[in-house]
């Protein structure tokens, strides 16, 4: 059986699971909060920062195995992806919509 990637997908999924479990607010993004590498990530970071709680992030550009595996694991094709208390909240559009109607603040306030 040939796979065209040279990493152990099950190990990557374990890593993803523990990242999501260990960080009550976690953003998988392109770049970093200080230096986002795409507009969607930048908008999502801005909305999160407006909620006033620190959050963890994973730069998928530096973690190609996570970039390749997370969309399958999460069943969500695009980045960024925001997780709060272990649950996928969504991507940029959803986060911005939640931010505009005040729900993002409530979600972030409930983060452990």
């Amino acid at each position: 059986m040939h796979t065209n990637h040279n990493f152990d997908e099950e190990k990557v999924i374990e890593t993803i699971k523990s990242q999501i479990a260990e960080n009550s607010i976690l953003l998988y993004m392109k770049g970093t909060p200080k230096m986002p590498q795409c507009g969607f990530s930048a908008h999502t970071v801005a909305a999160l920062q407006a909620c006033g709680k620190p959050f963890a992030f994973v730069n998928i550009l530096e973690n190609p195995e996570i970039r390749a595996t997370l969309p399958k694991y999460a069943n969500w094709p695009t980045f960024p992806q925001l997780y709060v208390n272990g649950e996928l909240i969504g991507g940029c559009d959803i986060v911005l919509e939640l931010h505009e109607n005040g729900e993002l603040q409530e979600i972030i306030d409930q983060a452990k």
Side-chain angles (χ1 to χ4, degrees):
M1 193 172 118
H2 290 286
T3 49
N4 56 4
H5 50 63
N6 55 359
F7 57 84
D8 180 342
E9 197 167 87
E10 279 176 30
K11 272 201 184 118
V12 178
I13 287 175
E14 287 309 308
T15 301
I16 289 169
K17 282 181 177 169
S18 65
Q19 288 172 339
I20 292 170
E22 286 161 22
N23 297 284
S24 55
I25 307 171
L26 178 60
L27 182 64
Y28 288 94
M29 64 178 294
K30 293 182 179 175
T32 66
K34 286 195 170 79
M35 294 275 301
Q37 300 290 311
C38 81
F40 299 113
S41 290
H43 292 312
T44 306
V45 163
L48 267 179
Q49 287 172 336
C51 292
K53 256 195 180 177
F55 59 91
F57 71 92
V58 174
N59 180 354
I60 59 157
L61 300 180
E62 286 176 2
N63 296 277
E65 69 288 357
I66 288 178
R67 184 181 188 172
T69 307
L70 185 61
K72 285 183 262 185
Y73 170 72
N75 202 12
W76 188 270
T78 56
F79 293 97
Q81 293 186 19
L82 175 64
Y83 288 81
V84 178
N85 292 339
E87 250 176 80
L88 174 62
I89 303 301
C92 179
D93 291 349
I94 290 172
V95 170
L96 292 184
E97 198 175 301
L98 290 170
H99 181 54
E100 276 165 30
N101 67 23
E103 285 176 53
L104 183 64
Q105 186 75 58
E106 290 170 29
I107 292 167
I108 296 300
D109 286 347
Q110 284 164 9
K112 299 180 194 78

